[in-house]
Amino acid sequence: MDKVQDIQFFDAEGHKSVVQAWEAVFEHAQLGLKAAVCYATAPGIAVLSKAARKIAYGDGFFVASVEYPTNIDALAGLHEMAKGHVYIHLGFDSPRTNDEVQQDGYALMHSKVLLAEGFNSMKLWVGSHNLTARALAGANLEAGMLVTGDCDTKLMHDARKHLLVCRDSAERFDPARIKVYKHIQRRRMRSPIEVQPSTILVIHAEADEPVRQHQLPNVVHLCLKPHQLDNYFAMDREVRLFLHPPGSLKPGKQVDLSNATGWMGRQTSITRTELHPRNQGVEGSFDAARFQVFIEDRSTPPKALPTDVKLDGMTTQVVMRFSRVLRPGAETYSIRTGTSSIRMKTIEEKPSPEPIDPRLADSFSHGSIKDGVLRFERITDIEPKVHVQAYAASLQPLNVLGAGDVAFSYSIVEPMHPIDPYFFITKNVVRVWG
C-alpha cells in the first residue's frame, strides 16, 4: 500500500523564498536527483549547482527547456559539473497554437518537478517555481507541493516516469551545439533575424549636411519627372530613406552605409501634376515639407534638396512622413521572391492517443492536428539560412548586419536602369533585431 509520510504546501504566505526547501530536497538525494524545470536562469542554476554531484550520481539528470529566459551559457556551466547528466529540451514545432503571440504558440517542456531519492524514502517537489531568481526568492507569487513518501509508492513511480519522458524527449547537452541552442531560443522568441514578405519603397539619395541633420518626425516631398515609376507609389506604403553625402552614389560603386542617415516612414499622399502624360492633375504645394527628394530621370541617383529650390517638369508628387530612425544595416532588402527564412528541423513523434477537445481545436495552427489528435514534431536542429537577391551597389552585406552566425547567401540582380539600386521596391525584408 502506498505510504505518504508528509505533505507540505509552499507557501501559504505567498511571497517567500523556497531556496532552503529546495536545498533540503537536494540534501535528501543520497541516491541521485532527477529534475525537470522549464526555465533556468543563471541565478537559479547557481542554486542548483549545489546539487551537481547529486544530478551526476547514478541515473540522475536535469532537464531545462531551450526557451527564453533559460541561460544557455549557465546551463553549459552546470554541464561541466555534471557531464552527461544535463539535458536541454528543444520543444516542439507542432502542435502550435494561433493565439499565443509572444512565444508564437509553440509547445514546450513546461514541467517543474524535482525527485530526490534517499536511502529509505523520496522527496517529490511539484510546483510552479522555475529556476529563476524571482521564483526562488519569493518575488513572484508561486505555489508548490513537497511530498515525502516511500520509494515504491505509485506516486513516486509516476513522477519518475514523467521525468524520464522529459529527459527522453530532450537531448543530452552538447557544448558543440551551443550556437544551435541559441539560434532556436532566439527563433522561439522574436528572432534577431527575421524575414518578412514586405512591399517597401527604398530610396538612397544624396544630400548636403544640413538636410541630413534634420530631426524627426519629418515630412518630405518626393518629386519625380519620369512617370514610368508610378507603380512604386501607394497610399500608406512603407518607405525607407537613406541620405548620403554628395557625390557618393555612383553606378557600379558600393554604397558606404557608415556615412548614411536612415529613416523609416510611409507614403501619405500622391499627386499627379498637369504634366503627367496619362493622369493629368494639378501641382500641389506642400509647405510642411522639411526638404524635397528629386528624381530627374532614370539615370541619375535621387537628390535631397532644400524646399526653396525650384523644381521644374514634375509629373508626380509624393508626400512621405518619417517618424523613426533606422540604423543602416538593421535591414537588408531582397527585390525578388525566394528569400529563405530560418527553419526548424523536426522529427515526428507518435501523436497523443487522446482526441482533442473540439472546443480547443480551432486554437491550433494548420498541421498541428492529425486524425483528430495533436500532432507532435519535436525540434532536433535549426537551419539558419537566408538568401537575399539585391543590387550590388546598395546591398547591405553580412558584416554590416552583424549576423555572422547565420548563413547568408546573395544573388546579385543586374539593374535595368542606373537609378535602380537607389530607388526600388522590395519583395522581402531581412531584419536584425536588438
Side-chain angles (χ1 to χ4, degrees):
M1 182 177 179
D2 292 355
K3 184 176 180 182
V4 173
Q5 300 170 10
D6 184 59
I7 301 176
Q8 294 176 270
F9 178 82
F10 291 85
D11 188 275
E13 298 178 15
H15 297 284
K16 190 170 182 179
S17 171
V18 294
V19 171
Q20 289 186 350
W22 276 39
E23 289 179 338
V25 173
F26 302 159
E27 187 66 27
H28 188 82
Q30 296 100 337
L31 299 180
L33 176 70
K34 298 176 177 66
V37 180
C38 181
Y39 304 127
T41 63
I45 291 175
V47 171
L48 184 63
S49 65
K50 297 181 178 179
R53 289 190 301 106
K54 306 295 180 71
I55 292 170
Y57 185 88
D59 60 352
F61 58 84
F62 172 68
V63 187
S65 169
V66 74
E67 299 285 338
Y68 182 82
T70 291
N71 187 310
I72 306 297
D73 293 325
L75 199 61
L78 182 65
H79 159 79
E80 291 299 318
M81 292 184 278
K83 288 184 178 179
H85 294 261
V86 175
Y87 291 76
I88 185 166
H89 201 291
L90 305 184
F92 301 89
D93 196 54
S94 176
R96 196 189 308 178
T97 53
N98 299 316
D99 57 347
E100 295 166 358
V101 177
Q102 184 178 358
Q103 295 188 18
D104 202 18
Y106 291 95
L108 63 153
M109 190 283 293
H110 203 248
S111 300
K112 294 94 174 176
V113 181
L114 310 175
L115 184 64
E117 185 173 358
F119 292 120
N120 300 310
S121 63
M122 286 186 171
K123 285 187 178 292
L124 170 65
W125 175 281
V126 180
S128 65
H129 300 72
N130 281 298
L131 270 168
T132 66
R134 286 181 298 177
L136 299 182
N140 293 348
L141 274 172
E142 307 274 3
M145 300 284 288
L146 177 59
V147 181
T148 304
D150 291 349
C151 298
D152 58 354
T153 63
K154 184 178 184 303
L155 174 68
M156 301 303 177
H157 281 300
D158 287 348
R160 184 188 297 111
K161 183 177 179 180
H162 173 85
L163 285 164
L164 290 175
V165 171
C166 294
R167 183 198 68 183
D168 294 345
S169 58
E171 71 169 63
R172 201 185 302 269
F173 190 92
D174 181 357
R177 282 170 56 81
I178 285 177
K179 277 191 175 181
V180 173
Y181 303 149
K182 290 182 177 181
H183 272 311
I184 293 173
Q185 183 179 86
R186 293 194 297 252
R187 182 63 175 139
R188 298 284 293 262
M189 299 187 300
R190 191 182 196 186
S191 173
I193 304 293
E194 178 181 79
V195 180
Q196 285 188 344
S198 299
T199 302
I200 299 175
L201 173 61
V202 178
I203 306 171
H204 290 268
E206 294 181 352
D208 289 328
E209 185 68 20
V211 172
R212 286 187 283 127
Q213 294 303 317
H214 273 288
Q215 300 298 310
L216 299 180
N218 220 335
V219 175
V220 176
H221 183 197
L222 175 62
C223 311
L224 300 96
K225 281 188 177 181
H227 68 274
Q228 295 89 346
L229 301 174
D230 283 352
N231 62 340
Y232 286 31
F233 310 115
M235 287 292 294
D236 297 324
R237 174 171 288 170
E238 290 191 64
V239 182
R240 304 292 187 265
L241 176 61
F242 296 94
L243 299 179
H244 303 264
S248 59
L249 300 184
K250 296 180 179 180
K253 177 184 176 182
Q254 177 68 43
V255 170
D256 183 1
L257 288 168
S258 65
N259 292 322
T261 300
W263 292 341
M264 303 173 68
R266 291 183 179 272
Q267 300 175 30
T268 60
S269 176
I270 303 167
T271 301
R272 310 299 186 198
T273 74
E274 65 276 8
L275 300 179
H276 197 283
R278 291 195 301 267
N279 302 298
Q280 288 82 9
V282 178
E283 181 178 329
S285 176
F286 304 100
D287 296 334
R290 300 285 186 88
F291 60 88
Q292 50 194 348
V293 174
F294 183 54
I295 296 179
E296 174 77 25
D297 50 44
R298 302 178 77 183
S299 298
T300 307
K303 294 188 182 298
L305 303 168
T307 56
D308 58 1
V309 176
K310 177 63 176 175
L311 304 178
D312 296 318
M314 293 182 295
T315 62
T316 301
Q317 299 171 287
V318 181
V319 177
M320 305 176 294
R321 179 179 172 82
F322 296 95
S323 56
R324 292 176 59 190
V325 172
L326 175 63
R327 175 176 58 85
E331 295 180 339
T332 193
Y333 310 103
S334 188
I335 61 173
R336 293 182 180 172
T337 56
T339 304
S340 301
S341 183
I342 298 173
R343 298 182 179 181
M344 299 292 185
K345 291 183 179 179
T346 64
I347 184 171
E348 186 161 355
E349 297 186 337
K350 184 179 179 181
S352 166
E354 296 293 330
I356 188 169
D357 189 311
R359 294 169 295 183
L360 301 177
D362 289 342
S363 298
F364 288 86
S365 61
H366 177 72
S368 293
I369 299 175
K370 182 178 181 180
D371 299 328
V373 300
L374 290 176
R375 177 170 173 260
F376 287 86
E377 287 188 72
R378 182 165 55 85
I379 296 170
T380 60
D381 216 326
I382 192 168
E383 295 179 309
K385 296 180 180 179
V386 176
H387 183 68
V388 176
Q389 301 171 86
Y391 298 117
S394 54
L395 175 66
Q396 303 193 37
L398 177 61
N399 62 336
V400 175
L401 287 170
D405 52 356
V406 176
F408 272 71
S409 60
Y410 300 98
S411 294
I412 300 304
V413 178
E414 293 299 325
M416 296 180 63
H417 308 93
I419 197 176
D420 291 350
Y422 315 113
F423 193 85
F424 59 87
I425 293 288
T426 67
K427 295 287 187 180
N428 291 275
V429 174
V430 184
R431 294 187 176 92
V432 179
W433 300 101

PDB file of all heavy atoms in Angstrom, residues 386-409:
ATOM      1  N   VAL A 386      19.576  32.352 -44.922  1.00  0.00           N
ATOM      2  CA  VAL A 386      18.830  33.459 -45.512  1.00  0.00           C
ATOM      3  C   VAL A 386      19.448  33.775 -46.864  1.00  0.00           C
ATOM      4  O   VAL A 386      20.672  33.860 -46.994  1.00  0.00           O
ATOM      5  CB  VAL A 386      18.873  34.716 -44.607  1.00  0.00           C
ATOM      6  CG1 VAL A 386      18.167  35.884 -45.276  1.00  0.00           C
ATOM      7  CG2 VAL A 386      18.227  34.413 -43.253  1.00  0.00           C
ATOM      8  N   HIS A 387      18.595  33.929 -47.871  1.00  0.00           N
ATOM      9  CA  HIS A 387      19.056  34.255 -49.217  1.00  0.00           C
ATOM     10  C   HIS A 387      18.509  35.618 -49.613  1.00  0.00           C
ATOM     11  O   HIS A 387      17.315  35.878 -49.443  1.00  0.00           O
ATOM     12  CB  HIS A 387      18.591  33.194 -50.210  1.00  0.00           C
ATOM     13  CG  HIS A 387      19.088  33.427 -51.601  1.00  0.00           C
ATOM     14  ND1 HIS A 387      20.413  33.313 -51.939  1.00  0.00           N
ATOM     15  CD2 HIS A 387      18.448  33.791 -52.737  1.00  0.00           C
ATOM     16  CE1 HIS A 387      20.560  33.571 -53.223  1.00  0.00           C
ATOM     17  NE2 HIS A 387      19.377  33.874 -53.737  1.00  0.00           N
ATOM     18  N   VAL A 388      19.377  36.474 -50.105  1.00  0.00           N
ATOM     19  CA  VAL A 388      18.997  37.831 -50.481  1.00  0.00           C
ATOM     20  C   VAL A 388      19.346  38.052 -51.953  1.00  0.00           C
ATOM     21  O   VAL A 388      20.458  37.733 -52.390  1.00  0.00           O
ATOM     22  CB  VAL A 388      19.727  38.879 -49.609  1.00  0.00           C
ATOM     23  CG1 VAL A 388      19.414  40.287 -50.060  1.00  0.00           C
ATOM     24  CG2 VAL A 388      19.348  38.689 -48.149  1.00  0.00           C
ATOM     25  N   GLN A 389      18.383  38.591 -52.700  1.00  0.00           N
ATOM     26  CA  GLN A 389      18.611  38.948 -54.105  1.00  0.00           C
ATOM     27  C   GLN A 389      18.517  40.473 -54.207  1.00  0.00           C
ATOM     28  O   GLN A 389      17.447  41.038 -53.968  1.00  0.00           O
ATOM     29  CB  GLN A 389      17.564  38.278 -54.987  1.00  0.00           C
ATOM     30  CG  GLN A 389      17.573  36.755 -54.860  1.00  0.00           C
ATOM     31  CD  GLN A 389      16.402  36.119 -55.552  1.00  0.00           C
ATOM     32  OE1 GLN A 389      16.464  35.856 -56.746  1.00  0.00           O
ATOM     33  NE2 GLN A 389      15.331  35.874 -54.822  1.00  0.00           N
ATOM     34  N   ALA A 390      19.634  41.098 -54.529  1.00  0.00           N
ATOM     35  CA  ALA A 390      19.687  42.559 -54.425  1.00  0.00           C
ATOM     36  C   ALA A 390      20.642  43.143 -55.448  1.00  0.00           C
ATOM     37  O   ALA A 390      21.404  42.427 -56.102  1.00  0.00           O
ATOM     38  CB  ALA A 390      20.122  42.954 -53.014  1.00  0.00           C
ATOM     39  N   TYR A 391      20.581  44.470 -55.566  1.00  0.00           N
ATOM     40  CA  TYR A 391      21.526  45.188 -56.417  1.00  0.00           C
ATOM     41  C   TYR A 391      22.860  45.315 -55.687  1.00  0.00           C
ATOM     42  O   TYR A 391      22.905  45.630 -54.493  1.00  0.00           O
ATOM     43  CB  TYR A 391      20.988  46.576 -56.746  1.00  0.00           C
ATOM     44  CG  TYR A 391      19.691  46.571 -57.517  1.00  0.00           C
ATOM     45  CD1 TYR A 391      18.532  47.121 -56.962  1.00  0.00           C
ATOM     46  CD2 TYR A 391      19.620  46.029 -58.799  1.00  0.00           C
ATOM     47  CE1 TYR A 391      17.333  47.124 -57.669  1.00  0.00           C
ATOM     48  CE2 TYR A 391      18.428  46.026 -59.508  1.00  0.00           C
ATOM     49  CZ  TYR A 391      17.285  46.567 -58.931  1.00  0.00           C
ATOM     50  OH  TYR A 391      16.112  46.560 -59.626  1.00  0.00           O
ATOM     51  N   ALA A 392      23.937  45.114 -56.417  1.00  0.00           N
ATOM     52  CA  ALA A 392      25.256  45.129 -55.788  1.00  0.00           C
ATOM     53  C   ALA A 392      25.566  46.471 -55.142  1.00  0.00           C
ATOM     54  O   ALA A 392      26.142  46.537 -54.055  1.00  0.00           O
ATOM     55  CB  ALA A 392      26.325  44.775 -56.821  1.00  0.00           C
ATOM     56  N   ALA A 393      25.185  47.559 -55.807  1.00  0.00           N
ATOM     57  CA  ALA A 393      25.590  48.884 -55.334  1.00  0.00           C
ATOM     58  C   ALA A 393      25.000  49.219 -53.978  1.00  0.00           C
ATOM     59  O   ALA A 393      25.649  49.890 -53.164  1.00  0.00           O
ATOM     60  CB  ALA A 393      25.191  49.946 -56.357  1.00  0.00           C
ATOM     61  N   SER A 394      23.764  48.770 -53.695  1.00  0.00           N
ATOM     62  CA  SER A 394      23.124  49.138 -52.425  1.00  0.00           C
ATOM     63  C   SER A 394      22.850  47.931 -51.539  1.00  0.00           C
ATOM     64  O   SER A 394      22.036  47.999 -50.623  1.00  0.00           O
ATOM     65  CB  SER A 394      21.815  49.899 -52.695  1.00  0.00           C
ATOM     66  OG  SER A 394      20.973  49.165 -53.557  1.00  0.00           O
ATOM     67  N   LEU A 395      23.530  46.827 -51.794  1.00  0.00           N
ATOM     68  CA  LEU A 395      23.385  45.643 -50.946  1.00  0.00           C
ATOM     69  C   LEU A 395      23.973  45.920 -49.571  1.00  0.00           C
ATOM     70  O   LEU A 395      25.092  46.426 -49.452  1.00  0.00           O
ATOM     71  CB  LEU A 395      24.100  44.455 -51.586  1.00  0.00           C
ATOM     72  CG  LEU A 395      24.154  43.166 -50.760  1.00  0.00           C
ATOM     73  CD1 LEU A 395      22.762  42.591 -50.570  1.00  0.00           C
ATOM     74  CD2 LEU A 395      25.056  42.147 -51.449  1.00  0.00           C
ATOM     75  N   GLN A 396      23.220  45.593 -48.527  1.00  0.00           N
ATOM     76  CA  GLN A 396      23.724  45.750 -47.162  1.00  0.00           C
ATOM     77  C   GLN A 396      24.316  44.409 -46.741  1.00  0.00           C
ATOM     78  O   GLN A 396      23.595  43.458 -46.469  1.00  0.00           O
ATOM     79  CB  GLN A 396      22.589  46.181 -46.235  1.00  0.00           C
ATOM     80  CG  GLN A 396      21.943  47.465 -46.721  1.00  0.00           C
ATOM     81  CD  GLN A 396      21.051  48.088 -45.680  1.00  0.00           C
ATOM     82  OE1 GLN A 396      21.348  48.057 -44.505  1.00  0.00           O
ATOM     83  NE2 GLN A 396      19.952  48.683 -46.120  1.00  0.00           N
ATOM     84  N   PRO A 397      25.630  44.285 -46.692  1.00  0.00           N
ATOM     85  CA  PRO A 397      26.280  42.979 -46.562  1.00  0.00           C
ATOM     86  C   PRO A 397      26.240  42.410 -45.153  1.00  0.00           C
ATOM     87  O   PRO A 397      25.865  43.078 -44.195  1.00  0.00           O
ATOM     88  CB  PRO A 397      27.725  43.278 -46.996  1.00  0.00           C
ATOM     89  CG  PRO A 397      27.924  44.712 -46.639  1.00  0.00           C
ATOM     90  CD  PRO A 397      26.604  45.382 -46.857  1.00  0.00           C
ATOM     91  N   LEU A 398      26.672  41.171 -45.072  1.00  0.00           N
ATOM     92  CA  LEU A 398      26.593  40.407 -43.827  1.00  0.00           C
ATOM     93  C   LEU A 398      27.354  41.057 -42.688  1.00  0.00           C
ATOM     94  O   LEU A 398      26.874  41.118 -41.569  1.00  0.00           O
ATOM     95  CB  LEU A 398      27.136  38.994 -44.071  1.00  0.00           C
ATOM     96  CG  LEU A 398      27.203  38.041 -42.884  1.00  0.00           C
ATOM     97  CD1 LEU A 398      25.819  37.794 -42.327  1.00  0.00           C
ATOM     98  CD2 LEU A 398      27.832  36.734 -43.294  1.00  0.00           C
ATOM     99  N   ASN A 399      28.548  41.589 -42.947  1.00  0.00           N
ATOM    100  CA  ASN A 399      29.325  42.166 -41.842  1.00  0.00           C
ATOM    101  C   ASN A 399      28.652  43.413 -41.283  1.00  0.00           C
ATOM    102  O   ASN A 399      28.803  43.739 -40.117  1.00  0.00           O
ATOM    103  CB  ASN A 399      30.752  42.478 -42.296  1.00  0.00           C
ATOM    104  CG  ASN A 399      30.797  43.514 -43.418  1.00  0.00           C
ATOM    105  OD1 ASN A 399      29.833  43.671 -44.153  1.00  0.00           O
ATOM    106  ND2 ASN A 399      31.921  44.194 -43.551  1.00  0.00           N
ATOM    107  N   VAL A 400      27.864  44.113 -42.101  1.00  0.00           N
ATOM    108  CA  VAL A 400      27.122  45.266 -41.595  1.00  0.00           C
ATOM    109  C   VAL A 400      25.965  44.799 -40.727  1.00  0.00           C
ATOM    110  O   VAL A 400      25.647  45.374 -39.698  1.00  0.00           O
ATOM    111  CB  VAL A 400      26.595  46.120 -42.773  1.00  0.00           C
ATOM    112  CG1 VAL A 400      25.710  47.249 -42.263  1.00  0.00           C
ATOM    113  CG2 VAL A 400      27.782  46.708 -43.537  1.00  0.00           C
ATOM    114  N   LEU A 401      25.334  43.682 -41.130  1.00  0.00           N
ATOM    115  CA  LEU A 401      24.202  43.181 -40.361  1.00  0.00           C
ATOM    116  C   LEU A 401      24.626  42.656 -38.990  1.00  0.00           C
ATOM    117  O   LEU A 401      23.820  42.558 -38.089  1.00  0.00           O
ATOM    118  CB  LEU A 401      23.504  42.052 -41.135  1.00  0.00           C
ATOM    119  CG  LEU A 401      22.685  42.513 -42.341  1.00  0.00           C
ATOM    120  CD1 LEU A 401      22.263  41.317 -43.170  1.00  0.00           C
ATOM    121  CD2 LEU A 401      21.450  43.268 -41.882  1.00  0.00           C
ATOM    122  N   GLY A 402      25.868  42.260 -38.845  1.00  0.00           N
ATOM    123  CA  GLY A 402      26.315  41.753 -37.554  1.00  0.00           C
ATOM    124  C   GLY A 402      25.691  40.421 -37.229  1.00  0.00           C
ATOM    125  O   GLY A 402      25.313  40.147 -36.106  1.00  0.00           O
ATOM    126  N   ALA A 403      25.573  39.554 -38.230  1.00  0.00           N
ATOM    127  CA  ALA A 403      24.908  38.258 -38.029  1.00  0.00           C
ATOM    128  C   ALA A 403      25.794  37.139 -38.562  1.00  0.00           C
ATOM    129  O   ALA A 403      25.376  36.333 -39.380  1.00  0.00           O
ATOM    130  CB  ALA A 403      23.553  38.257 -38.723  1.00  0.00           C
ATOM    131  N   GLY A 404      27.017  37.105 -38.118  1.00  0.00           N
ATOM    132  CA  GLY A 404      27.978  36.156 -38.652  1.00  0.00           C
ATOM    133  C   GLY A 404      27.653  34.708 -38.398  1.00  0.00           C
ATOM    134  O   GLY A 404      28.228  33.822 -39.022  1.00  0.00           O
ATOM    135  N   ASP A 405      26.753  34.404 -37.466  1.00  0.00           N
ATOM    136  CA  ASP A 405      26.406  33.011 -37.193  1.00  0.00           C
ATOM    137  C   ASP A 405      25.209  32.547 -38.004  1.00  0.00           C
ATOM    138  O   ASP A 405      24.683  31.469 -37.786  1.00  0.00           O
ATOM    139  CB  ASP A 405      26.142  32.800 -35.698  1.00  0.00           C
ATOM    140  CG  ASP A 405      25.137  33.793 -35.142  1.00  0.00           C
ATOM    141  OD1 ASP A 405      24.715  34.680 -35.897  1.00  0.00           O
ATOM    142  OD2 ASP A 405      24.798  33.672 -33.953  1.00  0.00           O
ATOM    143  N   VAL A 406      24.738  33.360 -38.946  1.00  0.00           N
ATOM    144  CA  VAL A 406      23.660  32.984 -39.855  1.00  0.00           C
ATOM    145  C   VAL A 406      24.246  32.837 -41.248  1.00  0.00           C
ATOM    146  O   VAL A 406      25.019  33.673 -41.696  1.00  0.00           O
ATOM    147  CB  VAL A 406      22.529  34.030 -39.861  1.00  0.00           C
ATOM    148  CG1 VAL A 406      21.459  33.668 -40.877  1.00  0.00           C
ATOM    149  CG2 VAL A 406      21.921  34.157 -38.470  1.00  0.00           C
ATOM    150  N   ALA A 407      23.886  31.752 -41.933  1.00  0.00           N
ATOM    151  CA  ALA A 407      24.416  31.509 -43.267  1.00  0.00           C
ATOM    152  C   ALA A 407      23.645  32.347 -44.280  1.00  0.00           C
ATOM    153  O   ALA A 407      22.529  32.014 -44.656  1.00  0.00           O
ATOM    154  CB  ALA A 407      24.316  30.024 -43.608  1.00  0.00           C
ATOM    155  N   PHE A 408      24.225  33.445 -44.709  1.00  0.00           N
ATOM    156  CA  PHE A 408      23.637  34.304 -45.725  1.00  0.00           C
ATOM    157  C   PHE A 408      24.200  33.914 -47.091  1.00  0.00           C
ATOM    158  O   PHE A 408      25.376  33.590 -47.227  1.00  0.00           O
ATOM    159  CB  PHE A 408      23.974  35.776 -45.468  1.00  0.00           C
ATOM    160  CG  PHE A 408      23.013  36.472 -44.567  1.00  0.00           C
ATOM    161  CD1 PHE A 408      22.965  36.178 -43.222  1.00  0.00           C
ATOM    162  CD2 PHE A 408      22.151  37.431 -45.058  1.00  0.00           C
ATOM    163  CE1 PHE A 408      22.085  36.824 -42.368  1.00  0.00           C
ATOM    164  CE2 PHE A 408      21.264  38.088 -44.219  1.00  0.00           C
ATOM    165  CZ  PHE A 408      21.236  37.779 -42.879  1.00  0.00           C
ATOM    166  N   SER A 409      23.346  33.969 -48.090  1.00  0.00           N
ATOM    167  CA  SER A 409      23.808  33.863 -49.469  1.00  0.00           C
ATOM    168  C   SER A 409      23.159  34.976 -50.268  1.00  0.00           C
ATOM    169  O   SER A 409      22.071  35.434 -49.931  1.00  0.00           O
ATOM    170  CB  SER A 409      23.464  32.493 -50.065  1.00  0.00           C
ATOM    171  OG  SER A 409      22.061  32.280 -50.062  1.00  0.00           O
TER     172      SER A 409
END
